[in-house]
Amino acid sequence: MNRAGLIAGAAAIAIAAAGGGMLSTLATAQDAPESLLPPGFDDPAPAPTPAPQPARQPATAPAGPAGPAGPAAPVTAPPSSPAGGAAPPPIPGNVPPVPQADLSGLPSLEELEDLSTDQLDDLLGLKPQYDIPPAARRSLAQVGVLSPEEGGLPTAALAKQPQNLVRAVLAGTKGPLVSRWGHIMLRRALVSRLAAPEGMNPVEFAALRAGVLNSMGEYSATRALVQDVDTGNWSTAMTSQALTAYIASSDLVGACPAVRLQGGAREDPQWVMMQAICNAYAGEGALAGSQLNGAQSEEIAPEIDILLAQRYAGAAGRGRGGTTVSWEGVEELTPWRFAIANAVGEDIPDNLVSAALDGARGEYYSLAAASAPMLPLAARAKYAEIAASRGVISAAAMIDIYSQVYSDNAIGGEASDRAARLREAFVGGDDTIRLTAMRGLWGEGEAGFSGQILTAYAAARIEPSAESADAAGDLIASMLTAGLDRDAAAWNDVIEPGSMGWALVALSDPSAGNADIDAVGNFYSDDASEDARKSAFLAAGLAGLGRMPVGDASDYGADLSRQTRWTRMIDRAAEVENSAMVALLAGLGMQGEEWSQMTPLHLYYIVSALRRTGMEAEARMIAAEAVARG
């Protein structure tokens, strides 16, 4: 139905309501459907039963003498209907008054013309509950994007788990993880195609998982997860998490199916502006402009937010594509402003970007921008290093970005220098040249760690030799950021027992046996980390992998005898070999900004539980990362 038809239909409803009394008296004019057959094709009607006639009374003779007969009185025919039939019986005089319809809630014709198609659908009751044909609707029995055949966790792993426990674990995981490999492991669990715990609404289960992914900065993964649930089934919580992911991805139009389907479910300024944007991209540019103009006059949001929304909506047509955006007087950057400005190519003042990156939500902007293809390569490279440190971006993706930077002669500065060093690390004339280039990328702190991720595959090209043994620890740590455990193990005959390189291989080598206790002691003696944290992590990791007696760990600062509710839960999940529950509990126990917030006790139980549930590779990588970064 076109827009004119919808308006006409709405007007017809108003007329019908006004004439409700008339229609009620005409409802009995035809009690049965009228035959469409020509005369003679109907079944013969039964002969009518003659009505009883009253007894004829003899005429009363007039008094007086009989006279000659006069002319007969004229016979008056009964009144007939215009069609020639008998007229209906007269209406009784005691008909009750017809109630008048309440028209106060109906819009005027002017208001009808201002309504969007979706609003007219709501008024006429035409909006479907689902926007997807029945045959194409997806089942909620399993929600996720990674099947077991593709590396996901077992589908029914959480189906028999207590729903309150699963809900509490997911709701309690609210921040980043200290471990990059822990982040990767938890992401895999959250996007796996899983059945909801018995008694839990599958949409609630998906919304909780989406919330954890958003808190980890995995906005693309969140978007993929929520898209596995039909928008007609989205709850309020699911819509909120989906909108967060779409805004962080600068993909506001992606949320339009849910925004248009839910209509006026929300009234906050962001939702109102989203409705206008979605109307613009549905071909209703004039309506979108009217809505945004109204929002501007009513001042429902700061001027900059509405101007950016007008600019974004105008990109759908000729309506307001030329909107001028002024940042004068704007004191802070928000996710809404960051997303739309990036999407439409609007330059954000440097002072706002710097303040945002240095603020409490600085990491949000780095993670959101790392995968934004519309940003300049030099800016993306800077953001990508932070995203790689968290586990959002892989080593291979980092190399792709810097390869593009190197091939673009117009890019200079730090990004160009790092791209040139990376190329030298791969194709330098000999190992010394390549190693020198890698050392120039490693640096200190988080920048050093992202540099190790960037050089992971280049480090694997260095031939193990005594000449390079002094760099073995850094080279092996770099290789392990990409999971190159067998390349790292190739250094086993070169590294010195008790060195950093030895410790990392002792934890990461898939074929390693029991650890050399004397070498552990040497590592502990040379440990210069705060409170000998690296040694405690080494002992906890070796004990968790079953390569060292648990009781010996206390000799190196790892007290593994304590018990908490969390340790009992993850130990029980490992005992019944429930990998999904172990992964969720491990993520809960690894929350934090830096490794100083991790305890050897937590590391031991995480590594042990992962190993016992078939995720030994993740267990080895997490243990090695703890020692390298502890």
Side-chain angles (χ1 to χ4, degrees):
M1 184 183 294
N2 58 26
R3 178 173 173 81
L6 289 173
I7 294 177
I13 287 182
I15 295 172
M22 183 190 302
L23 293 176
S24 65
T25 62
L26 297 179
T28 58
Q30 181 179 325
D31 295 330
E34 180 180 355
S35 173
L36 299 179
L37 294 176
F41 282 82
D42 285 326
D43 293 334
T49 303
Q53 299 294 326
R56 295 180 61 87
Q57 300 295 327
T60 304
V75 179
T76 304
S80 61
S81 66
I91 299 175
N94 57 349
V95 176
V98 177
Q100 296 298 316
D102 182 12
L103 306 182
S104 60
L106 291 175
S108 66
L109 290 178
E110 291 78 8
E111 291 172 331
L112 286 172
E113 291 178 352
D114 291 335
L115 295 179
S116 68
T117 302
D118 284 344
Q119 291 169 326
L120 284 171
D121 285 343
D122 282 337
L123 178 65
L124 301 177
L126 299 177
K127 178 171 285 189
Q129 182 180 3
Y130 297 94
D131 60 344
I132 299 175
R137 293 176 191 167
R138 284 160 288 194
S139 170
L140 291 173
Q142 302 169 7
V143 175
V145 296
L146 197 62
S147 69
E149 294 75 18
E150 298 166 321
L153 300 185
T155 300
L158 297 175
K160 297 299 182 182
Q161 297 303 309
Q163 60 167 310
N164 289 336
L165 174 60
V166 175
R167 184 181 293 111
V169 171
L170 290 173
T173 308
K174 299 178 179 179
L177 275 59
V178 299
S179 168
R180 178 174 181 271
W181 276 106
H183 177 111
I184 295 170
M185 177 271 302
L186 183 58
R187 177 183 61 202
R188 173 190 169 200
L190 292 170
V191 301
S192 292
R193 192 165 297 153
L194 299 174
E198 188 173 340
M200 179 184 284
N201 187 314
V203 178
E204 179 194 3
F205 182 48
L208 287 169
R209 292 154 61 190
V212 178
L213 287 168
N214 275 336
S215 71
M216 297 166 58
E218 289 285 353
Y219 307 114
S220 296
T222 303
R223 186 172 56 176
L225 178 65
V226 299
Q227 286 175 345
D228 199 47
V229 178
D230 293 341
T231 51
N233 292 322
W234 283 14
S235 63
T236 302
M238 174 75 90
T239 302
S240 177
Q241 297 298 341
L243 204 56
T244 298
Y246 280 112
I247 290 174
S249 305
S250 297
D251 180 20
L252 276 68
V253 177
C256 283
V259 172
R260 290 177 65 82
L261 188 64
Q262 295 184 21
R266 289 168 46 175
E267 298 180 354
D268 55 278
Q270 184 172 279
W271 186 263
V272 172
M273 291 186 287
M274 280 293 300
Q275 285 184 296
I277 288 172
C278 293
N279 286 334
Y281 283 86
E284 299 177 356
L287 175 62
S290 175
Q291 289 174 321
L292 289 173
N293 286 338
Q296 191 172 24
S297 62
E298 295 173 9
E299 298 182 349
I300 67 168
E303 181 79 4
I304 183 64
D305 293 348
I306 299 176
L307 289 175
L308 287 169
Q310 289 174 337
R311 179 76 178 275
Y312 193 99
R318 294 177 297 175
R320 277 186 168 269
T323 300
T324 300
V325 177
S326 172
W327 294 91
E328 185 177 356
V330 179
E331 298 180 353
E332 65 174 344
L333 198 59
T334 65
W336 176 267
R337 298 165 190 173
F338 191 68
I340 299 187
N342 287 336
V344 300
E346 179 69 30
D347 291 334
I348 304 173
D350 292 340
N351 65 309
L352 292 181
V353 175
S354 299
L357 293 174
D358 294 337
R361 299 198 64 183
E363 193 168 89
Y364 167 87
Y365 296 103
S366 296
L367 299 181
S371 57
M374 72 286 293
L375 293 180
L377 278 171
R380 280 191 63 199
K382 178 180 66 176
Y383 296 133
E385 300 230 7
I386 298 174
S389 298
R390 282 299 181 193
V392 176
I393 288 182
S394 68
M398 287 273 288
I399 294 171
D400 287 344
I401 291 174
Y402 274 105
S403 296
Q404 295 176 63
V405 170
Y406 181 81
S407 64
D408 190 341
N409 294 328
I411 299 177
E414 183 180 357
S416 177
D417 292 342
R418 289 180 71 80
R421 284 198 183 98
L422 180 62
R423 184 179 186 278
E424 193 75 5
F426 273 96
V427 299
D430 54 41
D431 286 353
T432 301
I433 295 174
R434 295 201 292 269
L435 185 55
T436 300
M438 279 186 269
R439 283 175 168 153
L441 291 170
W442 289 339
E444 299 291 339
E446 284 297 309
F449 182 56
S450 65
Q452 287 185 332
I453 298 170
L454 186 60
T455 61
Y457 293 98
R461 293 166 56 86
I462 300 293
E463 192 71 23
S465 64
E467 291 76 13
S468 303
D470 60 331
D474 291 328
L475 289 169
I476 292 171
S478 179
M479 287 182 253
L480 294 180
T481 62
L484 305 177
D485 51 0
R486 297 191 183 278
D487 293 285
W491 286 78
N492 203 26
D493 295 334
V494 176
I495 51 182
E496 181 182 352
S499 65
M500 174 59 73
W502 170 88
L504 297 180
V505 171
L507 290 166
S508 64
D509 186 357
S511 60
N514 292 333
D516 182 347
I517 297 298
D518 291 337
V520 176
N522 292 338
F523 184 88
Y524 179 61
S525 300
D526 296 336
D527 189 0
S529 63
E530 184 178 354
D531 298 328
R533 187 183 299 121
K534 290 179 181 288
S535 297
F537 284 160
L538 173 61
L542 290 172
L545 292 169
R547 300 175 181 180
M548 176 181 180
V550 176
D552 292 350
S554 60
D555 296 339
Y556 310 101
D559 180 9
L560 309 182
S561 61
R562 291 189 302 111
Q563 289 284 320
T564 67
R565 184 181 179 188
W566 176 84
T567 63
R568 288 190 291 270
M569 283 194 297
I570 195 170
D571 191 52
R572 175 58 181 162
E575 184 179 339
V576 298
E577 299 182 358
N578 192 314
S579 56
M581 181 57 75
V582 164
L584 297 184
L585 288 168
L588 180 67
M590 280 191 285
Q591 294 182 88
E593 296 287 344
E594 53 189 22
W595 277 98
S596 61
Q597 297 171 279
M598 172 66 74
T599 69
L601 179 72
H602 282 71
L603 180 66
Y604 163 72
Y605 275 97
I606 289 169
V607 171
S608 174
L610 291 173
R611 175 182 63 83
R612 292 154 63 192
T613 52
M615 292 187 283
E616 182 178 333
E618 289 87 345
R620 291 186 282 107
M621 293 301 105
I622 291 172
E625 182 187 351
V627 174
R629 302 179 64 193

